[in-house]
Amino acid sequence: MYDQFGEAGVKSTVGGQPNAYAANPFDLFEAFFGASMGGFPSMDPTGFGTRRRTVVKGEDIRYDITLDFSEAIFGAEKEFPLSHLETCEACAGTGAKIGTKMRICSSCGGRGQVMRTEQTPFGMFSQVSVCPTCGGDGEVISEYCRKCSGEGRIRVKKNIKVKVPPGVSAGSILRVAGEGDAGPRGAPPGDLFVYLEVEEIRGIQRDGINLKSTISISYLDAILGAVIKVKTVEGASELQIPPGTQPGDVLVLAKQGAPKLNKPSIRGDHLFTVKVTIPNRISAKERELLEELASLGNKNIARSRTRPRAQPATRATESQVEKVVEKIEEKREPDDIWQKLKDLAG
Ligand SMILES: [Zn+2]
Ligand SMILES: [Zn+2]
């Protein structure tokens, strides 16, 4: 195996010209540029030279800003100082002092390319690469622009204003075209990308276009219903707790959420998950009333009136139905107890 891929084998892979590179590196150099390149430094603009001159856009810049919770929902106008590179006006990005001439690069003799020849176990190999001195231009600045010290770009602090649209969220990125760094030699600038963070607030979580909160209500409010004050992004709002609200129920304030990004006519909801608090301690009076309620509950099936499926086993027999009718007549009594309890608790 090894023999087959000896020196001869390797040579054959470079075509019918074994040792062509090693013999005269400049054969390759000339072939590379074509015959028209004979008389440098008049660089042929239609040849390789133009490809090398592809316009390099400036660098993009990342800037992070943190928005208030409500700014992310309603949108905001933000202004911040940004440090970026701008094309030097004095030299129009060339880096050369105005009125001075460029000088032919001595490293490459104006070719813009240099040849590197390496001795390898397989023979001499040569590589053409961009001249590190002139960067491939074939010429260098003879006198630098004083304003930018030959860089062609200067660092400038600028105030940037961005309009944050309503409905953005943490991780949203805004692109500000053309506010990145200027490109080298007057090339177009890159873009500015504004990365958004959103501050959290107590009590409201964002879930896409919906907002979520947890509310605690007393067991009495859960049973009797109530109107409670809640915090929304619009400010304080009232939330109806319907009678018979269960722990874990989700109550909705429609269209009090976040607008859909780029479609602000669509707005999410604010969802409130209900927690029902059971008091650890109650007063003697409360205990008295609750025991009275408990005894009412034990005597009959009053509870099955409001939650018929809670006791599927107790089919209403004739006698039980009588009791229910009896109970309905006394209907005011338990309600009064609840109200008394509520007055005590509230
Ligand atoms: Zn300059
Ligand atoms: Zn050079």
Side-chain angles (χ1 to χ4, degrees), residues 298-317:
N298 289 339
K299 261 197 294 189
N300 55 58
I301 51 165
R303 264 186 289 172
S304 71
R305 259 193 310 130
T306 48
R307 294 169 65 189
R309 259 172 241 176
Q311 292 167 312
T314 55
R315 285 278 161 100
T317 61

Side-chain angles (χ1 to χ4, degrees), residues 10 38 42 68 76 102 119 125-126 140-141 153 162 167 176 201 206 212 235 270 278 288 293 304 331 336 345:
V10 173
S42 59
D68 291 345
M102 300 292 276
Q119 178 70 52
F125 283 90
S126 298
V140 289
I141 291 163
R153 298 183 286 185
V162 289
V176 187
I201 53 166
R206 181 93 178 259
K212 286 179 166 179
H270 195 149
I278 309 287
E288 198 184 300
L293 272 173
S304 71
K331 190 168 159 272
D336 287 349

Side-chain angles (χ1 to χ4, degrees), residues 311-329:
Q311 292 167 312
T314 55
R315 285 278 161 100
T317 61
E318 297 255 308
S319 61
Q320 278 172 320
V321 168
E322 272 168 35
K323 270 185 191 165
V324 171
V325 171
E326 192 186 325
K327 194 65 248 147
I328 287 167
E329 281 162 3

Side-chain angles (χ1 to χ4, degrees), residues 95-116:
K97 192 178 170 185
I98 213 86
T100 61
K101 281 189 176 162
M102 300 292 276
R103 162 168 75 74
I104 289 168
C105 174
S106 55
S107 302
C108 61
R111 285 183 176 90
Q113 308 257 328
V114 285
M115 173 75 62
R116 214 181 47 178

Side-chain angles (χ1 to χ4, degrees), residues 87-97 144-154:
T87 299
C88 174
E89 281 169 16
C91 62
T94 61
K97 192 178 170 185
Y144 288 119
C145 167
R146 279 217 208 120
K147 199 177 173 195
C148 62
S149 313
E151 292 296 321
R153 298 183 286 185
I154 41 174

Side-chain angles (χ1 to χ4, degrees), residues 145-175:
C145 167
R146 279 217 208 120
K147 199 177 173 195
C148 62
S149 313
E151 292 296 321
R153 298 183 286 185
I154 41 174
R155 189 154 288 281
V156 173
K157 254 205 174 166
K158 185 181 176 182
N159 271 344
I160 301 285
K161 264 189 199 164
V162 289
K163 244 197 159 142
V164 180
V168 295
S169 46
S172 295
I173 301 167
L174 305 175
R175 178 170 162 268

